[in-house]
Amino acid sequence: MLLSMSYPGHTDGDSDARRRTGSVRQRGNSLHVRLFSDIDPVTGKDVYLAATIKGKAAHKKADDKLAEFRTQVIQQRSATSAPPLAYAIDEWMRASEIEDSTRAGYVNYIERYIKPALGKQPANKVDARMLETFYNELRRCRIKCNGKPYIEKHAKDDEHDCVAEECKAHECR
């Protein structure tokens, strides 16, 4: 059994109208509530909000849930997507119109620094604090390396032979 609210300008049998207004379907002893949210900007797939309502007064609860879904869709208006930052950067690079020399420089930075450190992070979780920490770490490493060997941790504070004392050299990551 399909219960659907009408949508102005469309008939109840129209699947496009049902997609916009949501639907409540009888599934055994429960009701399944579903409402189209948006199209995922990364994957291009439809995103739906869905819930299963069981128990007494299920029809009233289903109507309330559908109203809650509508409010949620109106508030966010677009589906959130959480692809890894590496994927988002690759898509940006694919679509960007930049000179080949600039692109080569970007690819170098992306592959050597950004992807290893932040590539697996969901793009929507990368915030200013995370970027600032990442940038500070890059700057710290550049200062330490500067083309010269740097001893990160000395075994002794006074003059000594680093090889004999097995002092650890800084390794860029």
Side-chain angles (χ1 to χ4, degrees):
M1 174 167 106
L2 172 67
L3 305 172
S4 180
M5 299 185 70
S6 62
Y7 187 79
H10 296 290
T11 62
D12 285 341
D14 188 351
S15 64
D16 194 40
R18 189 168 44 253
R19 185 171 123 159
R20 286 190 207 127
T21 60
S23 63
V24 178
R25 295 175 185 252
Q26 183 77 40
R27 296 274 169 99
N29 294 332
S30 61
L31 296 175
H32 183 73
V33 181
R34 182 174 154 161
L35 178 69
F36 173 77
S37 175
D38 204 349
I39 297 174
D40 188 301
V42 175
T43 63
K45 295 181 179 180
D46 290 351
V47 177
Y48 287 88
L49 301 174
T52 301
I53 310 295
K54 297 179 181 179
K56 294 182 180 181
H59 288 283
K60 172 70 173 128
K61 291 177 185 176
D63 289 340
D64 292 344
K65 183 55 87 172
L66 197 53
E68 179 185 324
F69 284 166
R70 282 194 194 101
T71 303
Q72 188 176 341
V73 168
I74 289 169
Q75 287 176 346
Q76 51 192 54
R77 245 347 179 190
S78 65
T80 57
S81 180
L85 183 63
Y87 180 83
I89 290 172
D90 289 342
E91 287 299 304
W92 177 78
M93 287 295 290
R94 186 182 59 76
S96 64
E97 296 177 11
I98 53 178
E99 294 293 325
D100 290 340
S101 60
T102 304
R103 181 176 300 278
Y106 284 2
V107 167
N108 177 42
Y109 288 129
I110 291 166
E111 296 300 325
R112 288 183 65 199
Y113 303 111
I114 299 171
K115 282 186 179 179
L118 301 172
K120 293 181 181 176
Q121 290 290 327
N124 62 352
K125 298 287 184 193
V126 177
D127 59 2
R129 172 180 256 159
M130 190 180 295
L131 292 175
E132 190 63 32
T133 303
F134 172 64
Y135 180 70
N136 286 336
E137 192 63 26
L138 287 176
R139 187 175 28 207
R140 181 188 67 78
C141 187
R142 185 180 67 218
I143 291 167
K144 286 184 176 181
C145 296
N146 204 17
K148 301 176 193 169
Y150 173 80
I151 303 302
E152 192 165 317
K153 184 178 181 187
H154 277 98
K156 294 184 177 180
D157 292 331
D158 58 347
E159 286 193 34
H160 64 280
D161 181 8
C162 286
V163 175
E165 297 293 332
E166 297 179 1
C167 296
K168 295 187 180 186
H170 171 72
E171 290 182 26
C172 288
R173 284 180 240 123

